[in-house]
Amino acid sequence: MKVLVCIKRVPDTGGGFKLTSDNMRVDTTNVGFAISPHEECAVEEAIRIIEKHGGSSTVLTLGPQAAQEQLREAIAKGITSAILLEAEDYEFWDPAATAHAIAETVKPLGFDILLFGNESADTCNYQVGLRVAHLLDLPCVTGIKALEIQDGKALAKRETKDGWEVYEVALPAVFTVKEGINTPRHPSLRGIMSAKKVPIEQKKVTKPAPQLVRKALKKPQEGRHLEILGQGVDAVPKIIEKLREVGAI
Amino acid sequence: MTNFVGVDHFNIDELLTEEQKLIRNTVRRFVDEEVMPIIKDAFEAGRFPKELIPKIAALGLLGATLKEYGGAGIDSISYGLAMQELERGDTAIRSFCSVQNGLVIYPIYTFGSKEQKDYWLPKLMRGEAVGCFGLTEPEHGSDPGAMDTVAERDGDSFVLNGVKSWITNATLADVAVVWAKLDGVVRGFLVEKGTPGFTAVKIEHKMSARASDTGELYLNNCRIPKENMLPGAEGLRAPLMCLNQGRYAIAWGAIGAAMACYTEVVEYAKQRIQFDKPIASFQLVQEKLADMLTEITKAQLLCLRLGQLRDAGTIKPAQISLAKRNNVAMALQIARMARDLLGANGITLDYQTIRHMLNLESVYTLEGTHHIQTLILGQDITGISAFK
């Protein structure tokens, strides 16, 4: 079994963030970076598949040299090898360009399972996994919350409002993973120390003419809305109504 | 809960290696996910959350600096950053780790026989066994050389008598590293849980380090095999070498506690409205925040250099004392200032500041009081010991 997992280096803002003065990017001064959360679950899923079925796993990112940090974190957790598609201007790559570079790189490598996050935490385009599947002419199930491999096939489950959609897919196939599919492990200190010795395959990629061009970023309006719904049991119907309104129930 | 992002006003992260940052971030996240949700209740209940021990061990935090026996062999700065993050969660978690590492694994590794190392280190590092360190006595705290605990040779055994007090991990421990005088010379002994004549009793009613397992060890004609003496430890220097390991961890840990209080109060000050504006807009508040950030930054730089010296093998005990003394006093002061700014809210456990403030009263005293660190520095400066 050969498993690929694609990740993205995103700012670890801890909730709040600022934009740069030109409004073109998130100000990452004094901000750390992390693997995008859905992709962190994809990494965990890749490790679990290999632990159960044997084989090898590869983590890939399109990003700057500094993204080695995220690749090594994935290796520290148990991924076998890593590929960096080096693009210092990765923040300005659109999903089509990213998917094209990934598809071109992985096509000759013969992966059985290609895992992506459902969407990245920074741009939330929901596109790269789907586009890679299209470019490689592979089946794709998006937003999965369960994955089982049996007899060369995959059973992938998507959660719906009323239950589960279950897909049986022949391999090779692409899956985009949602948080909740698993609880990602922490890398061990021993894993971190071993990961630094693993060579990372690097390939420079050049951004093609983009189909999507970023003009500017705008921060959502801040401010908290306070509304007192009542007191004691009298407030219960209004609370239920409010929870329905925001889609919590 | 929002993930903790740390405090880095001087871009100190740029001075850290990729591994150091990843180790720090891993422990930071572990604390966010595993410690923060339970620590308030554990503190209030006076309970050490021992369910965390296997998870701490799985991370590789026990014996982390050793390259043998399955240790990760991390450097001193990585170790310090890990201790910083654990104490950002709570003193109890950092203490558990730094006692197991610096006061149990370290003396067994440094002074133990091959048999002692082979038997205990893998268990201690896998978290299958917990250790404690018995040096302080009810009547001898800052002056451990005056200890009353004695060991007597009797055939193939040693017989230990005495009482040890304020022992972290006391009732959890499967093995105690007990320091006792044999023919007037301080020696180290490994005393296993269940040995007849050996009991550990929890100290109740603490108002500080409540989530820490603190107790007393009673040795009453406690007979142990002669093989349980640490062959390489002779004289008071041996336990003092261990304390330097602990003080190093505390110097870093204090930064974590200070960061927790500082970040909490900055957010609070920005949101708390008085006189129609956030209290963060008042000069009296801003001055306190500026003082806190300045002191945290200075402490970070101090520890970074301390870690470099430790890895270079040129570190002096007085340098560790300087860092422990400065950083714990700094953290305690920040915790008190933050508690002040939190107003009445600051006296509840819904805010973490008062927990850290109370904990730091212990940290100020343990593994060498603030006064003792001062006198170690005084001796280093003048060449004159104030202890005698």
Side-chain angles (χ1 to χ4, degrees):
Chain A
M1 187 76 64
K2 278 182 79 177
V3 180
L4 173 79
V5 56
C6 293
I7 63 169
K8 186 174 184 186
R9 171 182 166 89
V10 296
D12 189 6
T13 59
F17 66 92
K18 287 191 280 191
L19 297 179
T20 50
S21 55
D22 62 0
N23 287 328
M24 285 301 283
R25 57 215 301 178
V26 172
D27 184 356
T28 54
T29 315
N30 295 335
V31 168
F33 289 84
I35 298 172
S36 198
H38 293 300
E39 291 153 15
E40 207 178 7
C41 294
V43 168
E44 176 65 30
E45 205 57 25
I47 296 167
R48 289 185 188 190
I49 291 168
I50 297 307
E51 281 173 350
K52 194 168 173 188
H53 300 280
S56 67
S57 54
T58 301
V59 59
L60 178 150
T61 194
L62 186 148
Q65 273 296 332
Q68 286 200 32
E69 187 184 341
Q70 282 65 48
L71 294 175
R72 291 204 190 277
E73 181 177 345
I75 296 169
K77 288 180 176 194
I79 294 287
T80 323
S81 62
I83 301 171
L84 172 65
L85 300 183
E86 193 193 339
E88 292 298 325
D89 58 350
Y90 75 112
E91 288 167 278
F92 298 97
W93 282 58
D94 67 11
T98 305
H100 190 266
I102 293 172
E104 202 171 64
T105 304
V106 305
K107 193 171 185 174
L109 301 180
F111 290 106
D112 302 296
I113 297 169
L114 295 85
L115 299 172
F116 293 79
N118 196 50
E119 84 271 13
S120 64
D122 54 355
T123 51
C124 298
N125 282 313
Y126 297 81
Q127 293 184 28
V128 175
L130 200 58
R131 283 179 179 274
V132 169
H134 178 70
L135 290 166
L136 297 178
D137 198 21
L138 295 177
C140 177
V141 188
T142 59
I144 63 163
K145 277 201 170 177
L147 184 63
E148 274 177 49
I149 311 299
Q150 284 172 357
D151 310 323
K153 285 183 293 191
L155 278 181
K157 289 185 180 180
R158 271 158 62 129
E159 199 172 15
T160 69
K161 203 169 72 175
D162 307 315
W164 294 88
E165 289 173 356
V166 183
Y167 294 82
E168 190 178 291
V169 191
L171 299 179
V174 174
F175 303 94
T176 75
V177 166
K178 261 190 155 171
E179 262 186 294
I181 189 171
N182 55 43
T183 304
R185 70 192 68 190
H186 300 284
S188 71
L189 270 52
R190 198 175 163 80
I192 293 170
M193 297 308 286
S194 308
K196 71 178 179 183
K197 295 174 198 135
V198 175
I200 290 177
E201 187 185 331
Q202 298 191 33
K203 182 177 156 189
K204 272 202 167 28
V205 286
T206 314
K207 183 161 61 105
Q211 296 173 335
L212 273 177
V213 178
R214 181 184 297 178
K215 294 290 187 190
L217 297 175
K218 192 176 168 194
K219 216 179 154 188
Q221 208 170 6
E222 281 187 25
R224 296 176 184 198
H225 178 65
L226 177 70
E227 191 181 334
I228 295 167
L229 298 171
Q231 290 199 337
V233 279
D234 295 344
V236 173
K238 284 186 182 170
I239 292 171
I240 292 169
E241 191 185 318
K242 196 52 89 177
L243 290 172
R244 284 217 174 96
E245 199 179 304
V246 299
I249 55 172
Chain B
M1 151 139 332
T2 304
N3 291 341
F4 184 69
V5 293
V7 178
D8 187 13
H9 196 65
F10 263 40
N11 301 354
I12 294 169
D13 263 20
E14 290 175 15
L15 303 175
L16 302 179
T17 65
E18 212 171 75
E19 293 77 51
Q20 288 165 349
K21 281 190 280 188
L22 187 48
I23 288 167
R24 191 264 320 272
N25 294 348
T26 298
V27 181
R28 178 170 288 176
R29 194 158 171 189
F30 169 77
V31 169
D32 281 337
E33 292 174 4
E34 306 284 352
V35 178
M36 297 315 289
I38 61 163
I39 196 62
K40 181 180 94 171
D41 291 341
F43 182 93
E44 192 156 27
R47 177 186 81 85
F48 176 76
K50 58 184 176 190
E51 64 273 22
L52 293 181
I53 297 174
K55 296 175 181 179
I56 289 169
L59 276 179
L61 282 166
L62 305 178
T65 55
L66 290 189
K67 286 187 177 148
E68 300 158 65
Y69 298 101
I74 66 173
D75 64 33
S76 292
I77 292 172
S78 298
Y79 179 64
L81 289 165
M83 295 301 112
Q84 168 191 295
E85 293 305 318
L86 291 180
E87 188 129 15
R88 197 260 304 172
D90 195 87
T91 293
I93 314 300
R94 195 271 308 144
S95 290
F96 168 78
C97 277
S98 64
V99 165
Q100 181 95 340
N101 284 331
L103 304 186
V104 182
I105 290 173
Y106 171 81
I108 293 173
Y109 180 75
T110 309
F111 309 120
S113 65
K114 186 175 183 310
E115 291 72 23
Q116 289 168 341
K117 290 193 239 190
D118 289 349
Y119 182 76
W120 283 111
L121 294 181
K123 287 176 193 254
L124 290 162
M125 290 165 69
R126 289 197 298 259
E128 293 161 7
V130 172
C132 68
F133 179 85
L135 178 64
T136 298
E137 298 182 356
E139 301 302 328
H140 306 286
S142 293
D143 183 14
M147 69 176 63
D148 291 323
T149 303
V150 289
E152 283 176 50
R153 182 78 189 251
D154 183 19
D156 283 347
S157 312
F158 288 108
V159 178
L160 303 178
N161 278 290
V163 181
K164 297 292 178 181
S165 195
W166 304 111
I167 308 305
T168 301
N169 299 347
T171 69
L172 283 173
D174 301 288
V175 60
V177 178
V178 170
W179 301 92
K181 281 183 180 167
L182 175 67
D183 302 325
V185 179
V186 174
R187 305 294 305 246
F189 300 90
L190 302 178
V191 182
E192 284 192 58
K193 189 178 203 165
T195 305
F198 175 58
T199 44
V201 178
K202 186 178 176 184
I203 295 175
E204 301 284 359
H205 309 301
K206 286 180 298 165
M207 297 306 289
S208 173
R210 286 186 55 76
S212 199
D213 173 45
T214 314
E216 294 191 317
L217 307 178
Y218 292 91
L219 300 141
N220 187 10
N221 288 325
C222 174
R223 185 177 291 273
I224 57 169
K226 69 177 185 347
E227 293 77 21
N228 284 21
M229 185 167 77
L230 296 171
E234 198 167 354
L236 193 59
R237 188 169 169 271
L240 294 183
M241 284 168 68
C242 300
L243 289 182
N244 276 323
Q245 308 300 314
R247 289 169 188 170
Y248 177 83
I250 290 169
W252 283 91
I255 300 173
M259 282 183 184
C261 298
Y262 167 76
T263 51
E264 181 167 74
V265 78
V266 167
E267 278 314 301
Y268 181 86
K270 288 199 287 194
Q271 287 171 20
R272 173 79 172 167
I273 309 291
Q274 293 291 287
F275 305 103
D276 298 325
K277 51 185 183 179
I279 62 168
S281 60
F282 297 117
Q283 291 179 3
L284 283 172
V285 174
Q286 289 193 359
E287 186 195 26
K288 285 191 173 69
L289 299 180
D291 285 345
M292 291 183 202
L293 179 60
T294 306
E295 290 306 320
I296 288 170
T297 304
K298 283 153 70 178
Q300 287 173 313
L301 292 167
L302 195 61
C303 270
L304 190 67
R305 179 63 185 146
L306 193 70
Q308 290 170 344
L309 291 169
R310 193 171 186 249
D311 277 339
T314 57
I315 197 165
K316 294 194 299 180
Q319 290 166 328
I320 304 173
S321 289
L322 188 153
K324 194 263 181 185
R325 178 178 183 271
N326 179 78
N327 290 10
V328 176
M330 169 281 297
L332 185 54
Q333 182 64 12
I334 285 176
R336 287 171 177 164
M337 283 198 284
R339 212 296 306 149
D340 178 19
L341 294 180
L342 289 165
N345 290 316
I347 69 164
T348 75
L349 285 175
D350 288 341
Y351 290 84
Q352 53 184 323
T353 292
I354 196 155
R355 181 166 50 77
H356 286 296
M357 190 186 97
L358 294 169
N359 284 343
L360 284 161
E361 292 290 350
S362 293
V363 185
Y364 195 72
T365 296
L366 57 83
E367 300 196 25
T369 65
H370 187 78
H371 281 160
I372 288 297
Q373 308 305 336
T374 308
L375 298 183
I376 291 168
L377 278 176
Q379 184 179 18
D380 194 55
I381 296 163
T382 64
I384 305 164
S385 169
F387 300 109
K388 294 166 191 164

